[in-house]
Amino acid sequence: MNARPAGIVGQLAPELGIRDWRDASGQPLAGLELTALPGRYKLLFCFQDNCPGCHQRGFPTLQTIVDAFRGSDLLACAAIQTVFEEHAENTRERGFANQLRYALGIPFAHDAGADGRLSTLMQHYRSAGTPWFILIDPQGVVLFNDFAVDAAGLIDYLRRQPVPAAAPAGVLTWAGILRQLRDGNPLPPRRVELSADEWRQRLSPEQFYVLRQKGTERAFSSGMCTVFSPGRYACAGCGSELFDAGEKFDSGSGWPSFTQAVTPNAVAYHADASHGMQRVETTCAVCDGHLGHVFPDGPGPSGLRYCINALALCKLGER
């Protein structure tokens, strides 16, 4: 799709917050949110009526994509006039006239913002103008957020995506982790708080480096990567249960990998922008010890890969 990171790529898609809608047949709607769009993937096209690029490139691209998935539940599209300049020209009447002009058979909206000066969607999605395309995946994560999209590349990409198996109730997914980053982690079952000197007395220098100084052990430095015997893994600092061996898998990454924590509040999640990367750090919710990171490229049903330092773990009862 030739995506370059922009706006809120990789983040949970905010609700649209727009009230001025017309449905696919041009009839007024009280409002429309992402959950009401029927496709597994959602494509939002943002335009202004007086934007030449919207008519020369944006709408023709949208027409190609809509035609490719007409009658399919794979992709749902919507067009939104996101007004941020020349409000006298980009009126709601002229915006909605494009629904008839292009006969796309998709919902249209007019969004000049709560104060009539700046589109609400532009503020939520941090878009930079028009034409603008936003692609949202089945978990509600923004995959693409930019001026132009390669229609053929997008169509091919979507057609190659397998139908995802629904995660069982209670299984944390990437979207759930993003919600915790946004809304906060749940309360842990208990707390263990020690001074740096107390941690040094309790831990080996190598464990202190990982758990208390956010260090990373060398890849493939631990035999724990190839151990899959039944049991549970606990935090090497405080002994709190973190992972079950039944969720362990060989990721080939060089660090012990799991697909799920033992309980929703065993592990805490934190945005990590260190080393020029955007990652999600995992810590023990009880003692704040650094464990590693979690990524959305693991096996089903959660789709998660907890990449954990072996030095941060011990088999339950072995600490």
Side-chain angles (χ1 to χ4, degrees):
M1 291 183 291
N2 299 323
R4 76 177 161 80
I8 59 170
V9 168
Q11 296 182 33
L12 197 66
E15 284 296 358
L16 304 178
I18 304 168
R19 291 288 166 260
D20 197 358
W21 284 91
R22 291 188 181 176
D23 66 17
S25 63
Q27 298 303 306
L29 281 174
L32 186 70
E33 290 297 351
L34 290 173
T35 53
L37 290 172
R40 298 201 302 272
Y41 289 82
K42 327 285 186 185
L43 182 68
L44 308 178
F45 171 62
C46 305
F47 71 96
Q48 290 191 114
D49 182 68
N50 75 337
C51 164
C54 294
H55 299 289
Q56 295 166 7
R57 301 184 307 277
F59 274 110
T61 297
L62 180 63
Q63 182 77 66
T64 299
I65 296 169
V66 169
D67 287 346
F69 295 102
R70 197 176 300 278
S72 167
D73 66 352
L74 182 59
L75 180 70
C77 300
I80 302 159
Q81 178 166 249
T82 51
V83 186
F84 63 95
E85 61 186 3
E86 298 171 342
H87 290 67
E89 295 184 39
N90 296 305
T91 62
R92 69 184 302 274
E93 291 75 16
R94 290 180 60 171
F96 283 128
N98 289 287
Q99 188 174 30
L100 182 62
R101 174 181 178 180
Y102 289 103
L104 288 162
I106 63 173
F108 269 64
H110 174 74
D111 175 23
D115 60 0
R117 301 181 61 185
L118 178 61
S119 154
T120 298
L121 184 142
M122 292 186 74
Q123 296 176 67
H124 288 175
Y125 284 79
R126 298 207 296 272
S127 60
T130 56
W132 194 269
F133 291 86
I134 301 167
L135 180 66
I136 301 165
D137 78 3
Q139 294 196 71
V141 178
V142 177
L143 292 182
F144 185 91
N145 198 25
D146 214 332
F147 279 107
V149 65
D150 172 11
L154 174 60
I155 292 167
D156 178 66
Y157 169 81
L158 291 175
R159 285 176 172 166
R160 287 187 286 106
Q161 299 310 301
V163 177
V171 171
L172 187 65
T173 64
W174 185 246
I177 287 176
L178 293 179
R179 288 189 182 93
Q180 287 190 206
L181 287 178
R182 182 190 65 192
D183 302 334
N185 292 296
L187 291 174
R190 61 191 179 97
R191 288 290 297 166
V192 173
E193 298 179 9
L194 303 175
S195 68
D197 286 341
E198 289 172 322
W199 282 120
R200 284 192 175 92
Q201 293 174 19
R202 177 180 288 214
L203 303 171
S204 70
E206 294 79 13
Q207 289 174 322
F208 184 86
Y209 168 67
V210 169
L211 283 163
R212 310 316 307 178
Q213 297 181 314
K214 300 184 184 297
T216 302
E217 67 197 19
R218 288 184 299 105
F220 301 102
S221 62
S222 171
M224 190 181 287
C225 295
T226 57
V227 174
F228 297 95
S229 55
R232 288 202 164 183
Y233 291 84
C235 172
C238 68
S240 298
E241 293 185 32
L242 298 174
F243 301 101
D244 189 280
E247 303 292 343
K248 197 166 185 279
F249 70 102
D250 185 2
S251 66
S253 65
W255 290 276
S257 299
F258 304 84
T259 63
Q260 197 78 182
V262 291
T263 60
N265 62 349
V267 173
Y269 306 93
H270 315 274
D272 178 8
S274 63
H275 307 294
M277 296 180 283
Q278 297 294 327
R279 298 179 293 174
V280 177
E281 179 196 8
T282 57
T283 63
C284 171
V286 171
C287 72
D288 299 331
H290 172 74
L291 303 174
H293 294 84
V294 62
F295 302 93
D297 57 6
S302 73
L304 299 178
R305 172 172 62 93
Y306 288 80
C307 188
I308 306 297
N309 289 282
L311 285 165
L313 301 174
C314 64
K315 266 298 195 66
L316 194 64
E318 295 180 1
R319 177 172 163 270

